[in-house]
Amino acid sequence: MDNLLTALILSIVEGLTEFLPVSSSGHLILVGDLLNFVGDRAATFEVVIQLGAIMAVVVLYWKRFWGLVRPQPYVRFAGMRGIWLLILTSLPASVMGLLFHSMIKEYLFRPATVLIALVVGAVCMILVERRKHKPTCISLDDMTPRLALGIGCFQCLALWPGFSRSASTIMGGMLLGAKRPLAAEYSFIAAVPIMVAATGFDMLKNLSLFTAADIPFFAVGMVGSFISALLAVKAFVALVGRMTLVPFAVYRLLIAPFIYYFMVN
């Protein structure tokens, strides 16, 4: 793991795609395959650099996270209520991930399964956007336990690499009554606990695979993913109120033939 350019490339891919509905894990698997960066160490590296992207969200939404510790009057998504909503959202995928972690890594971290997930996710995004629905939840303070748990159930789809955690949670939020900007904002915030848990679990399980010499590789990965995620989230927040998920679905469908030709066929 001495190729810092590989770390930089993968970190940029991670940061740009983690919070967009295009699947960061799918892109990392595919780019890693192109760079011949594969195996258990590669898979763990791709999980660990998510910490950089997570920190970007914490920085951008620090007031909301601070409110979980020091709630303010008249702010409903705060304190124990806000923490409970995030727990409800994190619970389904956490349980599924713990139960099927080894199986997911063995059978789903492959270009062919990523390709299928990209296409299926894209079709779902188009169908959700075509569905006529009137939002009942506009802001984070409108979040309910039912909505939080429902989004958490949809988040289980993200255990299929290529489907996209943000796509599954944003679509789930919209189907359950959240306005698109709220669904996106909550998707970013709810990503933090589930990603910290997944990253920590993977690091502890595979710590023996690495040595102190790998620290620069991880450092480059985390810094690169932090900066690129910061830019990606800012851009997406600015656009999500004015555009649908359809352009992201089209992008997924457009890259599918290239993935099939170069990596699956």
Side-chain angles (χ1 to χ4, degrees), residues 28 33 53 109 143 156 212 228 239 265:
L28 285 171
D33 197 72
F109 275 72
M143 289 289 300
C156 292
S228 51
L239 293 172
N265 189 16

Side-chain angles (χ1 to χ4, degrees), residues 220-235:
V220 169
M222 289 191 196
V223 172
S225 64
F226 172 81
I227 295 173
S228 51
L230 203 67
L231 298 174
V233 171
K234 280 188 173 183

Side-chain angles (χ1 to χ4, degrees), residues 91-166:
L91 196 58
S94 296
V95 173
M96 292 284 287
L98 285 171
L99 290 175
F100 301 105
H101 179 266
S102 299
M103 190 180 299
I104 289 168
K105 270 203 164 184
E106 183 176 356
Y107 295 107
L108 296 184
F109 275 72
R110 299 175 180 178
T113 55
V114 169
L115 171 62
I116 296 170
L118 280 170
V119 174
V120 171
V123 173
C124 290
M125 289 160 67
I126 294 171
L127 292 176
V128 168
E129 286 290 1
R130 287 176 62 87
R131 175 179 174 270
K132 302 295 182 183
H133 63 281
K134 186 177 181 180
T136 56
C137 295
I138 309 300
S139 72
L140 279 176
D141 294 325
D142 297 328
M143 289 289 300
T144 64
R146 173 183 170 276
L147 178 57
L149 181 59
I151 291 174
C153 291
F154 275 94
Q155 188 168 229
C156 292
L157 291 169
L159 295 173
W160 182 6
F163 197 94
S164 170
R165 192 206 58 81
S166 59

Side-chain angles (χ1 to χ4, degrees), residues 26-94:
H27 279 72
L28 285 171
I29 291 169
L30 299 173
V31 173
D33 197 72
L34 287 172
L35 296 174
N36 198 29
F37 185 65
V38 296
D40 290 339
R41 285 159 60 89
T44 300
F45 172 79
E46 291 164 2
V47 171
V48 171
I49 61 172
Q50 291 177 345
L51 284 174
I54 294 169
M55 289 308 301
V57 170
V58 173
V59 168
L60 288 172
Y61 290 96
W62 70 269
K63 289 184 179 179
R64 283 294 187 179
F65 286 104
W66 182 244
L68 297 174
V69 181
R70 296 288 299 272
Q72 299 296 315
Y74 311 112
V75 178
R76 301 189 69 229
F77 186 80
M80 286 307 302
R81 185 179 186 277
I83 292 172
W84 174 238
L85 292 174
L86 290 174
I87 290 173
L88 286 174
T89 301
S90 303
L91 196 58
S94 296

